[in-house]
Amino acid sequence: MAINFNQNSVFNLKPIDVENVRDEVRGLLIGGEDIIFAFQTIRDQLVMTNKRIIAIDVQGITGKRKSFSVMPYSKIQYFSIQTPGLIEIVSDSELFIMFSNGFTATFEFKGQVDIGRIGRLLSEFVL
């Protein structure tokens, strides 16, 4: 499933080390911008910096073509988080973000993700 900010979608994201973020993303970063979280589907990535959320949609069979979508935290109207249950075989958590343009992003995280820390990050930049 493609990650972009043009359609309401659910993404199954697994955490990755920030060192594994695609090199092209680093070229988009501005002075003082740091990658805080990084997640990946099969080929696509979602990167959360201290300034914005960057979605990388890898397209085509070869994956050479990529689409980059950026949404600054200043465009977030509200968000909510859902923590994993106590007795889940595969723990998952969810993040819902409503942007000022009416887009609602739903992110489903698989595995060990500190959703509380993500919520604190968003609070720091949204409030």
Side-chain angles (χ1 to χ4, degrees):
M1 175 177 289
I3 296 178
N4 61 52
F5 294 113
N6 299 323
Q7 56 186 323
N8 296 342
S9 302
V10 175
F11 313 120
N12 293 315
L13 299 161
K14 294 181 182 174
I16 60 171
D17 291 331
V18 295
E19 294 82 31
N20 295 330
V21 169
R22 297 186 177 281
D23 290 334
E24 298 95 338
V25 171
R26 297 189 192 286
L28 294 174
L29 301 181
I30 61 173
E33 185 173 18
D34 299 310
I35 297 172
I36 299 173
F37 295 108
F39 305 94
Q40 186 165 324
T41 62
I42 294 172
R43 298 190 319 169
D44 300 337
Q45 290 186 343
L46 183 78
V47 176
M48 299 177 94
T49 75
N50 59 328
K51 306 270 185 204
R52 57 193 164 162
I53 301 171
I54 303 170
I56 304 95
D57 175 15
V58 179
Q59 302 173 350
I61 295 171
T62 64
K64 290 186 182 230
R65 183 176 176 166
K66 297 168 191 75
S67 174
F68 296 85
S69 299
V70 176
M71 191 66 75
Y73 294 124
S74 63
K75 299 298 180 190
I76 294 176
Q77 290 284 139
Y78 68 86
F79 71 92
S80 66
I81 57 174
Q82 179 178 316
T83 61
L86 180 62
I87 307 176
E88 290 185 5
I89 295 173
V90 177
S91 63
D92 65 339
S93 50
E94 293 184 3
L95 169 65
F96 305 94
I97 302 175
M98 170 63 97
F99 293 97
S100 59
N101 65 357
F103 174 75
T104 302
T106 304
F107 302 100
E108 185 176 290
F109 300 98
K110 297 291 186 189
Q112 288 296 110
V113 173
D114 188 348
I115 194 70
R117 187 168 170 225
I118 293 172
R120 286 188 301 278
L121 168 81
L122 292 176
S123 293
E124 184 177 325
F125 297 116
V126 172
L127 298 178

